[in-house]
Amino acid sequence: MNSSTRSCSTSFGVVTLLGIILVLLPLGAEGFAQSEEDQRAWLRSLDSLSSERMLADVRTLSGPSFNGRQAGSEDDLRSAAWVTDQFRASRISLAFVPLDRLNIPPGGKGDVRTGFMSKPHQAVVIAPEPTLQISTARIPDNQRLGTDFLPVLDSPSAHASAPIVFVGYGIVDAASNMNDYAGIDVNNCIVLFLRGKPDHFKGTITHADKVRVARQKGAVGYLTATGPVLSSYEIRRGMTGQPSAFYGLSPTPDNLPGAWISGSRAVQIIAGADHSNQERLRSLQEQLNRTSESRSFLTEYFGALEWESQQEQSPLINVIALLPGTDPQLTHETIVIGAHRDHFGRQAGLLFPGADDNASGTAVMLEVARAMAKAGAHPGRTILFISFSGEEQGLVGSRLYLERQVVPLALTRTMINIDHAGVGNGRLTVGVTGLEKSVALEAGQTAGLTDKLDVYGFFPGGDHVPFKEAGVPTITVVSGGVHPHFHQPTDTAETINPEILQTVARYVLALTWQLANAP
Ligand SMILES: [Zn+2]
């Protein structure tokens, strides 16, 4: 038994007192429709959760052999096979997914396995040693990869050299009377736009929208940066001006080569060639945040973007396993536990291991499945475990599942999503939609984690979103606090805190049991 099991519970600390514990369990007004033996099994499963095993799984998944698990790559397929093996080793049934065979090449890479839900997917890989120069007319200045810039990961090959034009947030929207391109010609230029949007802009705007407009206006490339004035969301997420890995998700005809540059590089470009006005970008951003008036101008700098990117086509794979329900009244209904497995792979010569994002959630999901199967805990409803791919590329795997549901959505009572479960401040951020928050709090009480939960409504971003949009109640579980290695090559297993894995697993197991057996 590890230390976190000891420290986080008042009523579950000593497994030998099972009888007493059963009396103390907060069964709620209705109680669970479970036998005493099932309650014992569930307590055994809670007690068997192993942070060591989860950490070992995080190490494996984020290790060099899986190469960062990019969706639609050979590594996606191999990591899917590894997850399948874990389910098999724990004697958890793989789901039957009828369309599998159509999508895996016969005799191709790996076996045709049940439990695989796949579709062809185009993966883009940026070749090693991309370069970005940001220069005045006389002095070329090579930027450092990873620190000063990162190509946007689905960027096309770049061979662009042009003057840099600042275009504010890069938004054109007639309804809001916003035009960051008013009175400025960006034809054959590289535009620089800030990430996000000003508070007064009430519409929605995506990165792909900004890229499309830049292309329509004749730009040959773009740079994007987090401005010095952070939104409250950016502050809460612990965002810095550092460039992060991400997919721009622009459709091919609209796409442009682009890079995320650091906030300090953006400040330098705006300050002018003589470096005189270091506060100018902040002041421009404050003005942009106050009114919709354009603040765009031609800077004194040139940009030069140079890299190759290749497209690869390979299947994207969700792995689906299940623990069948045993209550005749409930067994046709299901609780889904999902965690995305994919990350960014090896890009621009940098490995993105994705330990916290989201080898951690995958390890928690596997451990919860193992613990329930091994202890012989029989849930009333069927529990579906889904290892999603393609989350980082626009929730492709969870959207694929919704197209080909294994259990009809009308019978899917709740979707629990686990993401970023290995780093943070020891608290849990729980986002609830379509259910009373008391459901999430009750599970915290059962798990002995009442004082560690922060329960909110909708949590933006993640594989629960397509389920929520389809009307399925969702509960998202994320480790609270700052995740300093978010979308960085430094998101390694060494930064993972096993006690946090344990806390998340304990909570998810309690929540699953509660939802699987609630009347
Ligand atoms: Zn991510």
Side-chain angles (χ1 to χ4, degrees), residues 109-336:
K109 308 147 188 170
D111 303 335
V112 175
R113 293 162 188 262
T114 58
F116 275 17
M117 176 181 280
S118 61
K119 76 171 205 176
H121 184 74
Q122 193 102 297
V124 179
V125 178
I126 308 280
E129 297 182 25
T131 62
L132 169 66
Q133 289 183 350
I134 295 174
S135 316
T136 58
R138 281 173 302 153
I139 314 156
D141 188 3
N142 277 310
Q143 306 298 304
R144 290 162 302 173
L145 175 67
T147 316
D148 297 326
F149 82 103
L150 261 179
V152 172
L153 299 185
D154 49 1
S155 178
S157 294
H159 309 286
S161 179
I164 300 173
V165 178
F166 176 68
V167 292
Y169 283 98
I171 299 174
V172 175
D173 183 78
S176 315
N177 198 25
M178 254 191 98
N179 183 359
D180 281 326
Y181 287 82
I184 190 101
D185 181 9
V186 302
N187 197 34
N188 290 321
C189 290
I190 291 171
V191 293
L192 164 60
F193 56 79
L194 297 174
R195 302 196 50 70
K197 58 178 189 161
D199 277 345
H200 60 76
F201 179 75
K202 297 300 175 205
T204 53
I205 183 92
T206 65
H207 177 84
D209 293 333
K210 296 182 182 185
V211 174
R212 189 186 59 248
V213 170
R215 187 178 175 115
Q216 283 165 356
K217 301 286 182 187
V220 293
Y222 68 88
L223 304 174
T224 185
T226 305
V229 184
L230 295 179
S231 69
S232 52
Y233 173 75
E234 288 167 333
I235 292 167
R236 207 165 29 158
R237 294 293 301 268
M239 281 194 186
T240 61
Q242 216 180 343
S244 271
F246 87 114
Y247 294 91
L249 303 178
S250 293
T252 306
D254 294 340
N255 212 351
L256 274 178
W260 184 330
I261 61 170
S262 69
S264 55
R265 294 294 104 175
V267 165
Q268 177 202 337
I269 293 167
I270 300 302
D274 62 359
H275 312 297
S276 59
N277 195 344
Q278 296 290 320
E279 287 301 310
R280 189 175 181 198
L281 180 56
R282 175 179 291 276
S283 137
L284 285 171
Q285 193 183 5
E286 283 167 355
Q287 291 166 35
L288 288 163
N289 289 353
R290 271 199 303 274
T291 74
S292 56
E293 202 181 322
S294 164
R295 304 284 167 185
S296 303
F297 70 98
L298 175 64
T299 73
E300 295 172 59
Y301 281 83
F302 289 77
L305 293 76
E306 275 295 332
W307 60 77
E308 298 296 334
S309 66
Q310 295 130 21
Q311 308 230 335
E312 293 174 6
Q313 184 145 328
S314 196
L316 166 151
I317 299 159
N318 296 331
V319 183
I320 309 175
L322 59 95
L323 213 53
T326 53
D327 184 330
Q329 304 293 320
L330 303 176
T331 184
H332 57 292
E333 296 185 351
T334 189
I335 305 296
V336 170

Side-chain angles (χ1 to χ4, degrees), residues 340 357 391-392 420 486-487:
H340 80 86
D357 183 12
E391 192 269 354
E392 305 285 12
H420 293 91
F486 180 74
H487 290 186

